[in-house]
Amino acid sequence: MTSTDSDASPEAMLAFYRHLYPFKSIFNWLNHEHVPTRLFTHREFAFTLQHDVYLRYNSFNTYEDLKKQVCALNPTRFEIGPIYTARPRDKKSVRSAAFTPVKRELVFDIDMTDYDGTRTCCSAADICVRCWAFIAAAVKVLHTALVDQFGFKHILWVYSGRRGIHCWVSDSDAMDLTDEQRRAIVNSLTVIEGGKEMAKKVNVRIGNKALPPSLWPASNTLRLLFDPLILKDQDVFATESNWEILLQLVPDNTITEKLRDKWSNNPSRSSSDKWLDLKRTIHKTYDEGSVEYNRLQNALEDIVLQYTYPRLDAEVSKHRNHLLKAPFCVHPKTGRVCVPVDPLHVDDFNPVTVPTVSGLLREMDESTKNGEEGADWSKTSLQPYVDMLDRHTAEIMDGVRRSKRAAASSDQSW
Amino acid sequence: MFNTKDRKKFVEKQEQSHEGAQIQYPHRLNFYDKPPLYDVTIEEFETCALDRLRVLAEIESSFARNRPWDDLKTVTLAQCQKYVPLNNNTAVTVDVDTQRRNDQLGHFVLRLAFCRSEELRRRFVKAESTLFRVRYDSDDRREREAFLKSRDLDWIEVGDAEKKTYEKELQALEIRKAGEDHTNEERYYKVKWTRVPDLVAKRRVFLRGGSAYVPSREQASIVLQTFEANLTRALENTAKVLPRMDEDTRLVPILNNLSQGFLAGVPSEWNGASTTSDEITADMVDEIAKKHFPMCMRNLHECLMRDRHLKHFGRLQYGLFLKVLGLSIEEAVMFWRKAFSGLTDDKFNKEYKYNIRHSYGLEGKRANYPAKSCQQILLTDKPGPSDCHGCPYRHFAPENLQTSLLATYSSHGLTTSDLPEIMKTVKEGHYHVACTRVFEITHSGGGVKKGEGIGGGESVTHPNQYASRSRELEKSQQDSAMVVE
């Protein structure tokens, strides 16, 4: 990445909002219909202006109004909130009891910073293609759970512009969830718990029983990933402090002492070798089928989960009134656009090659020079991403139309 | 209070069915979906409600005192027996119908009293559904089944074919006792997952395409959830029509009185009225921390000094604690500014000052936030992978807890030989007991004996209580030393 690519100057942002930002697609996606409904007019938008001024409780009648305001304020980014019982901009004039959030997409936020300790390639705010494998695993696990277990259909994944990914579920059942039900989903999907000082972060079993069935698909997916990602690519157990953590997770002192001796004498053994050592030692020490053997097999399963299972930022999902950055915003530090990600091809996504503001503006200039016609974004590499959102929206709208028709026909049949 | 036309109709019906004495309330359990459509005296109106209120208030205070479910059940059943007895159908010597009528009447009167605000409704629903659960648990099995059959709870029993398909998954959910083999015996009910959020959160049901497969032993969850949902909806409707009740002189005073009675309970916040609440300055914090802070605050303080930063919930937990300890807003800003020495003034003022002022009630909705109690620290906002807040007794790995305890308190008289006892209580999950024990050990120099706790055998329930008791002890020691001189 060259230094100009990460440029997100106010001038560039303004040009981006004026010519490239797909306001209409965003409107359709939030509104579920072509005619403005409460899903759009009673929806909160919040703007972060240059110099970190934060404006909350904005709402708009049409997407043209939204665009006008965005171009006037030229925010570094803007966020989407819930649908309230009244228009958010009238908040001050209605009774506070009459102003409560009623609907909201079910949202999830996964951030790479929560993976420090299981990734070795980068830390904190950095991200590279290798870290993306963790995000890809998270997307696969969560997407499968949301579709298979909870029966959701309209799920949009959006790259957050730097080191994470957002998920928006727009099913009407999901929009109507109460805070309590959101908390239930989050709790059932959260496996990694405990702070910095807690070694074993996976505690989902009752006693020494098998994993709860809701985690089976995740465990099956992640088991395949553990070898290439954790052992080979990240080589997590290479340093002493890291393999010491691994040993803390093995609930059997005779085994850990054997391994500690062996590994201290051969510090150059690779992570794959160490994992194999662990498995072999268990096999040699205990008979297959014995209580200890099963306990250790369960511990291995838990270790796989601890190193690969998605780490959710739970607070974002639990409350309806939480705000989340809108898709297609620009990350101020990287200049990258927050584009949708196809969950089926998430492995092929490369965060480093995502379109940037300056790159897009350059493409636009060149195409205007060549005299091409059409919407501005359609001349740039943003087009496939806007198309992806539009296709997603078309499915939502189709669902809404169908349920309306069903409601209408059942009304007549009485 | 009820429509006269309805009442007339009901009276007629009642007369018709008078031969069969038990027809009116065939079940002990009641979903309260039919209001009492008969005349009652004002006195009955009030006494039935008051009796029920006593039981509900006891339930509320049980929650506040963190009574385990079994204790709560015994206490509530005893209270019920005293004030609103309800007997099984098999009881012959008592008039079951009158009991059930009073139960229904009391419930509906309290609905009128507690429908007025969101807060009252929430507490009423919680107390009522707990009462329902206690009764449901203690009900005769056959009568309970008859009751469930009489209602349409909108569940689908899972057929054998489907049970076969998900055999493995469903079996993994079973709690099998040793030697017992009851595969395929368990019955399962299919409901929309949103109806059993508690079971979903604990992963106690199998989920497929938005449906939850609930084993029959968890059936109570569905019933309870339905009860709660119905009651919440009914209360909201009552609230809407309540202003139209033309009963200002007779009923409204009684109702006002009733709703007051509920509010009086539950003093769970620790109010910082103590003798040592003198002003503290920013540079005193470090010294006081080393002498008087409980483990959770020591940990936050040390993390702050080490990293020169704390994440959001850490700042919240520590900041509010310091506020109640007596740190004024000016001193607090100074304290945090010094602690975050890695930041520029500009970044500090923009991103952190507002939050500090907010927690002192000077910004936003200007609420005076109380410091977090142990219960809140233990149960809410669990620390994420890189957080430092929470309760060390609960959120540290055992080895790290032991090392930290020794490092922190060995200068106060804590030795390695004390650790096994502390770790045992931690392992059993009595975190506040472990914390209280540490207090006793580290303050044995000040004359605190084992079992005395923070005075009168009370255990630690709030970090500020810990710190302020510790400072009181120090002060009284100094005072007595002076007297001797």
Side-chain angles (χ1 to χ4, degrees), chain A residues 133-191:
Chain A
F134 285 102
I135 299 283
V139 170
K140 278 183 228 162
V141 166
L142 289 181
H143 195 81
T144 321
L146 290 173
V147 172
D148 290 353
Q149 296 183 24
F150 294 99
F152 294 128
K153 291 194 192 74
H154 306 300
I155 304 167
L156 183 72
W157 292 91
V158 182
Y159 172 52
S160 74
R162 185 154 70 170
R163 58 190 174 186
I165 198 158
H166 297 160
C167 170
W168 300 75
V169 187
S170 304
D171 292 58
S172 70
D173 285 350
M175 305 280 297
D176 289 333
L177 293 178
T178 62
D179 285 358
E180 192 200 0
Q181 290 160 342
R182 281 164 210 259
R183 217 174 304 131
I185 287 207
V186 172
N187 285 348
S188 82
L189 293 175
T190 303
V191 168

Side-chain angles (χ1 to χ4, degrees), chain B residues 188-253:
Chain B
Y188 291 89
Y189 300 91
K190 211 156 67 163
V191 293
K192 219 167 167 332
W193 78 264
T194 44
R195 290 185 58 195
V196 283
D198 55 326
L199 297 180
V200 171
K202 290 184 203 133
R203 306 192 190 93
R204 292 239 288 267
V205 286
F206 169 62
L207 289 166
R208 179 75 16 189
S211 299
Y213 291 63
V214 184
S216 56
R217 88 192 116 78
E218 309 275 17
Q219 209 180 19
S221 271
I222 312 179
V223 180
L224 243 116
Q225 187 276 337
T226 319
F227 179 85
E228 263 182 47
N230 286 354
L231 183 56
T232 313
R233 210 171 329 121
L235 279 176
E236 276 161 16
N237 287 337
T238 316
K240 272 183 211 144
V241 293
L242 191 69
R244 275 187 257 156
M245 182 177 75
D246 190 19
E247 276 292 354
D248 281 355
T249 48
R250 292 192 310 163
L251 298 187
V252 169

Side-chain angles (χ1 to χ4, degrees), chain B residues 23-41:
Chain B
I23 298 286
Q24 220 183 328
Y25 301 96
H27 305 292
R28 177 172 171 259
L29 296 170
N30 193 340
F31 257 44
Y32 308 108
D33 32 24
K34 288 197 197 77
L37 299 170
Y38 40 77
D39 294 324
V40 290
T41 63

Side-chain angles (χ1 to χ4, degrees), chain A residues 250-276:
Chain A
V250 179
D252 191 298
N253 282 335
T254 47
I255 289 183
T256 47
E257 265 156 42
K258 262 188 223 164
L259 292 174
R260 192 170 287 131
D261 284 349
K262 184 167 184 181
W263 296 348
S264 323
N265 295 333
N266 294 302
S268 61
R269 283 184 82 75
S270 74
S271 294
S272 304
D273 289 341
K274 284 181 183 134
W275 184 247
L276 220 60

Side-chain angles (χ1 to χ4, degrees), chain B residues 54-183:
Chain B
R54 289 211 178 89
V55 177
L56 297 186
E58 186 58 42
I59 291 177
E60 269 235 319
S61 78
S62 293
F63 282 131
R65 281 199 238 161
N66 256 332
R67 275 202 186 121
W69 172 247
D70 287 327
D71 289 4
L72 184 144
K73 207 163 129 181
T74 353
V75 172
T76 314
L77 282 174
Q79 290 275 321
C80 280
Q81 200 50 42
K82 216 153 131 203
Y83 298 111
V84 273
L86 269 187
N87 283 85
N88 286 335
N89 287 345
T90 43
V92 271
T93 49
V94 281
D95 183 359
V96 193
D97 245 17
T98 315
Q99 280 184 352
R100 291 176 188 179
R101 176 177 168 269
N102 287 346
D103 175 63
Q104 183 201 23
L105 181 61
H107 172 88
F108 275 93
V109 174
L110 289 186
R111 268 196 196 184
L112 293 176
F114 292 121
C115 67
R116 299 162 198 210
S117 76
E118 179 78 47
E119 161 80 7
L120 282 176
R121 285 199 291 267
R122 199 177 48 74
R123 291 169 64 175
F124 180 67
V125 170
K126 194 171 174 201
E128 271 288 342
S129 49
T130 310
L131 177 61
F132 182 83
R133 191 172 153 204
V134 167
R135 285 174 169 172
Y136 183 91
D137 277 5
S138 63
D139 205 16
D140 178 71
R141 201 171 56 84
R142 225 171 317 142
E143 278 183 42
R144 184 164 65 197
E145 257 166 37
F147 169 73
L148 292 180
K149 244 183 222 140
S150 74
R151 305 203 53 90
D152 177 23
L153 283 157
D154 195 19
W155 57 39
I156 305 167
E157 199 170 334
V158 179
D160 285 338
E162 212 173 345
K163 246 201 266 186
K164 196 101 199 145
T165 324
Y166 300 124
E167 197 178 4
K168 263 200 196 147
E169 282 88 346
L170 294 177
Q171 259 177 31
L173 285 173
E174 273 176 34
I175 300 169
R176 212 170 304 160
K177 289 183 196 112
E180 248 180 289
D181 184 40
H182 49 89
T183 348

Side-chain angles (χ1 to χ4, degrees), chain A residues 248-393:
Chain A
Q248 277 187 32
L249 297 173
V250 179
D252 191 298
N253 282 335
T254 47
I255 289 183
T256 47
E257 265 156 42
K258 262 188 223 164
L259 292 174
R260 192 170 287 131
D261 284 349
K262 184 167 184 181
W263 296 348
S264 323
N265 295 333
N266 294 302
S268 61
R269 283 184 82 75
S270 74
S271 294
S272 304
D273 289 341
K274 284 181 183 134
W275 184 247
L276 220 60
D277 288 344
L278 174 59
K279 281 210 227 170
R280 280 202 188 121
T281 321
I282 294 174
H283 221 78
K284 263 187 267 169
T285 322
Y286 296 109
D287 294 335
E288 210 166 311
S290 66
V291 179
E292 288 85 2
Y293 182 84
N294 286 339
R295 196 159 60 104
L296 287 163
Q297 290 303 322
N298 285 346
L300 291 183
E301 211 172 9
D302 286 352
I303 292 169
V304 170
L305 287 178
Q306 171 153 345
Y307 281 92
T308 51
Y309 194 87
R311 290 157 187 240
L312 296 173
D313 183 346
E315 293 311 311
V316 178
S317 315
K318 281 181 185 170
H319 302 288
R320 270 172 290 194
N321 57 359
H322 224 287
L323 294 149
L324 196 64
K325 187 161 58 166
F328 292 104
C329 275
V330 172
H331 195 287
K333 292 267 160 52
T334 61
R336 291 179 200 152
V337 180
C338 307
V339 292
V341 177
D342 182 353
L344 299 177
H345 299 104
V346 63
D347 286 322
D348 309 330
F349 186 85
N350 184 350
V352 182
T353 58
V354 159
T356 60
V357 196
S358 46
L360 289 172
L361 292 175
R362 232 177 3 252
E363 286 175 35
M364 197 176 70
D365 284 348
E366 273 158 28
S367 68
T368 352
K369 261 182 243 153
N370 299 339
E372 284 170 40
E373 299 272 316
D376 285 334
W377 48 259
S378 71
K379 301 169 208 156
T380 67
S381 52
L382 201 59
Q383 182 183 13
Y385 298 104
V386 178
D387 287 348
M388 203 192 292
L389 177 64
D390 285 343
R391 276 198 303 275
H392 174 76
T393 308

